[in-house]
Amino acid sequence: MANPNIVNVAAIYGNSSQTSLTTTSATSLVSNAASSGKVFKINSITVANVDGTNAADITINVYSAAALGGTAFPLVSTISVPADATLIVTDKTTSFYLLENQSIGATAGTASDLVVNASWEEINA
């Protein structure tokens, strides 16, 4: 995995995604391909529980390879999100970089109860 030099960047693009976790399997949120020449600055990840009655657990992992490959390293692990509530996993004060050949995935404890919102800057070297 390379770590592109971001001193003289060619472009910075703002990105966001909204992902409904419809299964209890790991779901990709953000993936930075190998040899992309990009670094992603992850600005925020929030998890909303859309179930009006029941809490639901969330696990968010950073993977050591793109497309949820390699080893999973938890950002949060089995955190209960109360009914009709939102969990802030990371924000601008705790932003981090996702390097080439890394990815972020979410696993719900209950299918179809959680929606994950992520925002990041795609920095092209």
Side-chain angles (χ1 to χ4, degrees), residues 4-123:
N5 184 343
I6 58 174
V7 170
N8 295 310
V9 300
I12 300 174
Y13 298 102
N15 288 289
S16 63
S17 69
Q18 296 73 41
T19 306
S20 294
L21 302 180
T22 58
T23 72
T24 56
S25 298
T27 302
S28 180
L29 302 176
V30 182
S31 186
N32 190 358
S35 303
S36 68
K38 301 174 184 178
V39 174
F40 295 172
K41 183 178 180 191
I42 308 300
N43 292 319
S44 69
I45 300 172
T46 61
V47 181
N49 184 340
V50 296
D51 186 314
T53 306
N54 301 304
D57 291 345
I58 185 71
T59 297
I60 307 281
N61 290 310
V62 175
Y63 291 83
S64 61
L68 306 181
T71 304
F73 299 95
L75 287 174
V76 295
S77 183
T78 321
I79 299 291
S80 180
V81 182
D84 285 336
T86 299
L87 170 70
I88 299 171
V89 176
T90 188
D91 63 14
K92 280 282 222 177
T93 63
T94 58
S95 62
F96 62 95
Y97 291 102
L98 191 70
L99 305 180
E100 289 181 334
N101 199 30
Q102 290 185 322
S103 55
I104 300 172
T107 304
T110 305
S112 301
D113 280 359
L114 301 173
V115 175
V116 182
N117 296 282
S119 72
W120 67 96
E121 296 166 15
E122 179 181 311
I123 303 169

